[in-house]
Amino acid sequence: MQFYLDGFRGGDPDIRNAAPNRRDRGPHAPLPREVDVLVAGCGPAGLCLAAQLSRFPEIDVMIVERKQGPIEKGQADGVNTRTMEMFQAFGFGEKVKRESCWVNQTAFWSPDPANPSHIRRIGRVQDVPEDSSEMPHTLINQARIHELFLDVMRNAPSRLEPDYGWSVVDVVVDPDTEDHPVTVTLENTGINPGETATVRANYVVGCDGARSNVRKAIGGQLHGDAAHQAWGVMDILANTDFPDVRQKCLVASQSEGNILILPREGGYLFRMYVELDKLNPDERVSSRKFSADDMIAAANRIMAPYTIDVKQVVWWSIYEIGHRLTDRFDDVGPGEDRNPRVFTAGDACHTHSPKAGQGMNVSMQDSFNLGWKLAHVLTGRADASLLRTYSAERWVEAKRLIDTDHQWARIMSAPPGQSELDGSGMPRFQKQFIENLMFTGGLAVKYDASALTAEPAHQHFATGQEIGRRFHSAPVVRVADAMQMQLGHVAEADGRWRIYAFGRRKDTSAPGSAIHRLAEWLAKDPASPVVRCTRAGEDPDAIIDLRVVFQQTFESVAMEDMPPLLKPIKGPLGLQDHEKVFCVDHKGMGDIFDMRGIDREKGCMIVVRPDQYIANVLPLDGTAELAAFFDGVLLRQG
């Protein structure tokens, strides 16, 4: 973590210097009349977006929430490895690691052939495959995740806070103006219920749930089906003789249904998803009047011969499984050729069962994809056509989620012996779980070729860093201070692009190497995207951040020989940044060149988007292709 760039100051380094001319957020201050971005909903998607935009004090953001304050318990709890990587970029990944329960193993239980009314353990699987991510799969209260995002917002230069007690009831886009063309009607749900207010915005993002008024206002509909199966979920403090209660467990009984057990943070709390009754095609789960006692009774039937003695039900809910997807994620209708102004994210555009643990994760990845694109456009870094890529990229991933979860929910609810996977030598749900590990880790996302994701012409230079997938971190040593670390952890959620340049076998820190030539070209050549896209007076890494990795070990790399772009002078005091140069990890955690299939003879460049996805792989001398790529994304700045 770097701080003091703007001068020394004491206190918490996570609290950034406040920007001037901030909005008055006093208890009696009026709502703004105009904003750049209005976000509807303080769920994971909305808070992730607001937290990212809060890093840009020049962008005026308003986030509204119909509730009177933040949630305190319940709802989602699973944080997959991809989301943990994103949390690291926001600065609170280590905090979640410390506070959460880690999912290390998943145990599978099914009927005992010798006594089918009783269950027995049939196997265990490592939950996160080796080297799939440096981050764990964790379980933590969704309310705590909200609080961590709120802290990022409060500590940002804009000191962003939600406006609680306001709900979006209508959104209207004026196609004849570019000046705050979206009019949002808000309704007070707090101390003055029914009172309305209007706010004009340049962009609106609906993160307001499955019943989203933003989606309805732009003509979006959720299409799909329901499984007509009632499930209950409860967070409980309980005693039990079930031996695997502190592991993730999938339990299938002979005739009483299924259970998913998830240990939670704190050592005592755990969550149970309990299958209840099948619903008639025209029946809603609310008509059954299920209670927490019904869930507890069902759990004891399913877990026989084991029992559970519940001491406290912290939170519970009853739901029915449905799989629905909207036809688009923005306000551009079929046949229209214009840039979008209104977007939806999270449950507003896709809903599914909670048992694959993807709802909160995919929702945050939606808005993480959108946030940097809005920031690029609103700060003049990119043309507004960039925003068309949001729906194109995220709809495909949402469809993948719906299809996979539909299959998973069907297998989880089928009684033993009634699935096409039965009889394969491994119980259906264990086999499906293993096959889906990359998906449940959030690592199956792969963006198709576009202006943001190049064709894989040079993929062979980095076979383990696939274009379109997220940048897969690996250990390195920082040369300036011999710090052993993960290379991917240099990336923050700050809207910057990264170029990771990996040296050739013969490259050394001495002048004249391919790394030196690349750095000199980026710093000085008129065609360089650093030269073209960095504004006068900005730090040289303000929009494109170059990092290099040498194959030599720490003592063989000389910082004094590095070119200026790798020891840039930055900030108002003109301080030198010493953290751009790395070498292979010689301390035993692994060689990044071997681990990620980097060509040792020729090296390469890996271009990474602000949302941590790989945009391009190029040879070290592929400067013309690098310039052409960025010309298709970023605007020239003078």
Side-chain angles (χ1 to χ4, degrees), residues 127-170:
D127 191 82
V128 177
E130 292 295 336
D131 196 36
S132 62
S133 175
E134 78 280 9
M135 302 299 279
H137 174 193
T138 65
L139 296 164
I140 191 171
N141 187 356
Q142 179 179 327
R144 180 61 177 137
I145 293 171
H146 288 197
E147 186 176 7
L148 292 168
F149 275 125
L150 288 167
D151 285 343
V152 172
M153 293 159 54
R154 296 183 189 111
N155 295 339
S158 58
R159 300 296 193 263
L160 180 59
E161 294 271 3
D163 287 288
Y164 291 109
W166 290 96
S167 175
V168 171
V169 294
D170 196 19

Side-chain angles (χ1 to χ4, degrees), residues 327-391:
D327 46 2
R328 63 184 191 272
F329 283 26
D330 60 38
D331 64 316
V332 179
E336 289 188 274
D337 183 18
R338 64 176 178 85
N339 298 325
R341 289 287 184 172
V342 183
F343 309 86
T344 54
D347 287 354
C349 40
H350 46 75
T351 63
H352 43 87
S353 84
K355 290 184 296 302
Q358 296 304 297
M360 177 171 64
N361 293 281
V362 175
S363 295
M364 289 185 285
Q365 294 298 331
D366 284 347
S367 54
F368 194 44
N369 179 290
L370 179 60
W372 68 270
K373 297 173 181 178
L374 282 169
H376 270 22
V377 171
L378 287 165
T379 58
R381 300 285 188 185
D383 185 79
S385 59
L386 175 66
L387 298 174
R388 301 185 185 201
T389 66
Y390 168 68
S391 183

Side-chain angles (χ1 to χ4, degrees), residues 74-78 139-140 142 230-236 248-252 256-264 270-276 295-296 298-299 302-303 315-319 321 352-360 408 412:
Q75 301 187 40
D77 64 347
L139 296 164
I140 191 171
Q142 179 179 327
W231 282 76
V233 54
M234 55 183 175
D235 289 332
I236 54 177
K248 180 178 177 181
C249 295
L250 283 76
V251 180
E256 297 294 341
N258 303 311
I259 284 177
L260 172 63
I261 298 175
L262 297 171
R264 288 282 301 274
F270 61 97
R271 171 169 289 193
M272 300 184 78
Y273 290 94
V274 183
E275 187 174 12
L276 298 171
M295 272 189 282
I296 295 168
I302 294 168
M303 294 173 65
W315 173 82
W316 65 278
S317 182
I318 304 291
Y319 65 93
I321 295 174
H352 43 87
S353 84
K355 290 184 296 302
Q358 296 304 297
M360 177 171 64
W408 178 241
M412 272 291 291

Side-chain angles (χ1 to χ4, degrees), residues 512-575:
S513 70
I515 290 291
H516 274 258
R517 292 194 298 271
L518 174 62
E520 292 293 336
W521 180 85
L522 283 168
K524 297 177 181 179
D525 196 288
S528 159
V530 173
V531 173
R532 291 182 178 187
C533 303
T534 306
R535 296 167 180 162
E538 284 188 323
D539 292 336
D541 59 357
I543 187 64
I544 299 174
D545 179 16
L546 174 68
R547 310 280 176 143
V548 305
V549 183
F550 288 96
Q551 295 190 40
Q552 289 74 30
T553 55
F554 163 74
E555 65 276 2
S556 301
V557 180
M559 282 297 295
E560 62 269 24
D561 292 335
M562 291 298 110
L565 191 62
L566 295 177
K567 296 187 295 186
I569 301 300
K570 298 164 51 178
L573 300 180
L575 299 177

Side-chain angles (χ1 to χ4, degrees), residues 113-129:
N115 185 0
S117 63
H118 289 181
I119 59 171
R120 64 165 185 168
R121 186 194 304 113
I122 57 171
R124 289 192 177 105
V125 172
Q126 184 170 313
D127 191 82
V128 177

